[in-house]
Structure formats: C-alpha cells, structure tokens
Amino acid sequence: MAEEVLAEMVSTVQEILVSVGDKVKVNDAVIMLESMKMEIPVIVETEGTVTSINVKPGDVLKQGDLIAVIS
C-alpha cells in the first residue's frame, strides 16, 4: 500500500534528501522544509521505496500538498 507524504503546514522546500528508487525506513527524513526560519524534516511513517517526489527546492507548499509517495 502506498503512503502519500503530505505537507503539514505552509512551508518552502529547502532540500530533498532522497531520490526516486531509494529505500526508506520508518522515521527517515525525506525532505527538509523551512517555515518561519525553522528547518522542519518531513519524516516517513512507513517502510518502502520512494516512487515519486512531487516537489523541488524552492517550491512553496500549502497544508495538504503532496510531497512524495512511498510504496
């Protein structure tokens, strides 16, 4: 089952820490966001493979925007 990784708040994509095809484990950070001058790691809640990354550095996200998919 695929996990959609969604933005939890308005933020800017600072850095992408994984690539499509990378294996991730529970609690791995996949993206670093910035909001109100704070760095916020996006943590996955499931183990799997990154099947898509839907953002790029500099993108401004709203709450609920799709960041990545883990299968």
Side-chain angles (χ1 to χ4, degrees):
M1 181 187 224
E3 174 193 356
E4 291 185 338
V5 180
L6 305 176
E8 294 183 6
M9 65 183 72
V10 175
S11 54
T12 302
V13 177
Q14 188 174 38
E15 183 179 3
I16 298 172
L17 305 173
V18 295
S19 299
V20 172
D22 286 356
K23 303 277 186 202
V24 293
K25 299 179 295 226
V26 174
N27 295 326
D28 280 354
V30 293
I31 305 280
M32 188 64 70
L33 301 177
E34 184 272 325
S35 181
M36 301 186 317
K37 300 191 187 216
M38 294 175 43
E39 289 186 342
I40 304 156
V42 175
I43 307 295
V44 294
E45 297 177 0
T46 189
E47 187 171 311
T49 302
V50 178
T51 55
S52 73
I53 298 173
N54 301 77
V55 297
K56 63 185 180 312
D59 284 355
V60 176
L61 306 177
K62 305 180 302 234
Q63 183 176 1
D65 282 352
L66 180 64
I67 295 173
V69 177
I70 311 296
S71 294

